[in-house]
Amino acid sequence: MKVLVVGANGQVGQHVVDQLHAAPNVTVRAMVRKEDQQKALLQRGIDAVCIDLEDDIANIKRAYQDIDAVIFTAGSGPNTGADKTVTIDLDGAVKTIEAARQAGVKRYVMVSSFDTTRKAIQAAPEGFKPYVIAKHFADDWLRRSGLDYTIVHPGRLTNDEGTNQVQIEETVDAGDISRGDVATVLVETVQNDHLIGREFQVIGGKTAIKDAVKTFKYSV
Ligand code: NAP
């Protein structure tokens, strides 16, 4: 299986790339937006493409050749305005979903926000609202895409050392999770077809990630 990581230079993305690179039976292609990022990956023997999420779908699709699955972990981050929230977190995500459809890449794992329900939009503080709206509609686009999707809703991300232990449920109480552990959840999720068409919240917990992903049961 070859996995395209969108947002591969991000804090979660770098963990995902490293873990996929080290994993047996899986290969990785990193999608980054700067040539020096691409060069550094290529020097480490990691397949990498340089494509900006503000490019059109035809250009984004160039990253999808020989790809079996996509992990989307890009984001505009906290230091840009609502304009980039729309162009990256919403439209960037939608373009990668459409590129997957056009390229015939069925499996797609989305890093969403913890709670992207309409209720969460209404409850969000003013400055955070555009981000929750963007993630709400990106998630919804993916659900309706016909792709073999899984949507992962992590709690507040930390840079703590990963514990390799999490709690995965349809809904959990808000909590923290390390970026390394989120990456491990993504790497396991993309290889577990029973999670196709499913979504879950995840925070740090007491169950080994491999087991938590394998045994997660959806109520409906
Ligand atoms: P991050 O470090 O900010 O990484 C985001 C990545 O997206 C960066 O590598 C960035 O590229 C890339 N990106 C931004 N604009 C782009 C563009 N135009 N074209 C291509 N790539 C672009 O974020 P993170 O900490 O890894 O988190 C991953 C995602 O988790 C977040 O984006 C967020 O949606 C989600 N999340 C966050 C939290 C939280 O508590 N913070 C909680 C739940 C979910 P550069 O490296 O070049 O800047």
Side-chain angles (χ1 to χ4, degrees):
M1 171 188 257
K2 183 151 187 170
V3 182
L4 176 69
V5 180
V6 180
N9 191 58
Q11 298 168 88
V12 171
Q14 290 186 30
H15 283 290
V16 175
V17 169
D18 289 350
Q19 291 184 25
L20 287 171
H21 186 54
N25 310 323
V26 188
T27 53
V28 60
R29 177 176 298 147
M31 183 172 136
V32 292
R33 61 169 159 171
K34 293 177 190 136
E35 276 176 15
D36 58 332
Q37 296 167 349
Q38 180 192 24
K39 206 169 144 199
L41 286 155
L42 292 172
Q43 275 169 355
R44 291 174 54 206
I46 296 172
D47 185 6
V49 287
C50 184
I51 295 172
D52 197 300
L53 281 170
E54 296 197 44
D55 291 354
D56 63 17
I57 293 171
N59 203 37
I60 291 171
K61 207 168 69 179
R62 289 193 302 115
Y64 287 68
Q65 204 180 353
D66 303 322
I67 288 295
D68 303 296
V70 178
I71 295 176
F72 182 95
T73 183
S76 60
N79 300 321
T80 54
D83 53 343
K84 294 294 177 193
T85 306
V86 172
T87 51
I88 306 306
D89 301 284
L90 175 51
D91 198 41
V94 166
K95 286 187 286 187
T96 63
I97 293 164
E98 288 309 298
R101 276 160 47 120
Q102 290 182 19
V105 176
K106 289 288 280 178
R107 188 81 175 101
Y108 190 109
V109 177
M110 170 71 91
V111 178
S112 183
S113 182
F114 182 65
D115 188 349
T116 59
T117 57
R118 179 147 288 291
K119 201 171 158 197
I121 293 174
Q122 295 310 131
E126 218 43 46
F128 195 55
K129 214 178 266 271
Y131 172 72
V132 184
I133 293 171
K135 296 301 267 183
H136 170 90
F137 284 101
D139 288 355
D140 213 43
W141 195 276
L142 181 57
R143 288 184 201 105
R144 296 161 194 257
S145 66
L147 296 181
D148 291 342
Y149 73 86
T150 308
I151 302 175
V152 177
H153 298 274
R156 196 179 71 87
L157 303 180
T158 74
N159 287 328
D160 295 345
E161 184 90 17
T163 62
N164 202 31
Q165 299 210 313
V166 292
Q167 182 186 358
I168 291 179
E169 307 279 351
E170 283 170 67
T171 55
V172 299
D173 290 339
D176 292 354
I177 181 167
S178 74
R179 288 181 166 88
D181 284 342
V182 171
T184 308
V185 168
L186 296 170
V187 168
E188 290 298 324
T189 297
V190 80
Q191 298 177 78
N192 268 279
D193 283 358
H194 82 98
L195 293 172
I196 287 171
R198 302 302 191 198
E199 52 194 283
F200 55 80
Q201 293 182 329
V202 57
I203 57 170
K206 292 184 178 157
T207 310
I209 291 174
K210 225 181 190 20
D211 297 335
V213 167
K214 225 177 231 159
T215 57
F216 170 67
K217 293 258 183 319
Y218 209 72
S219 61
V220 187

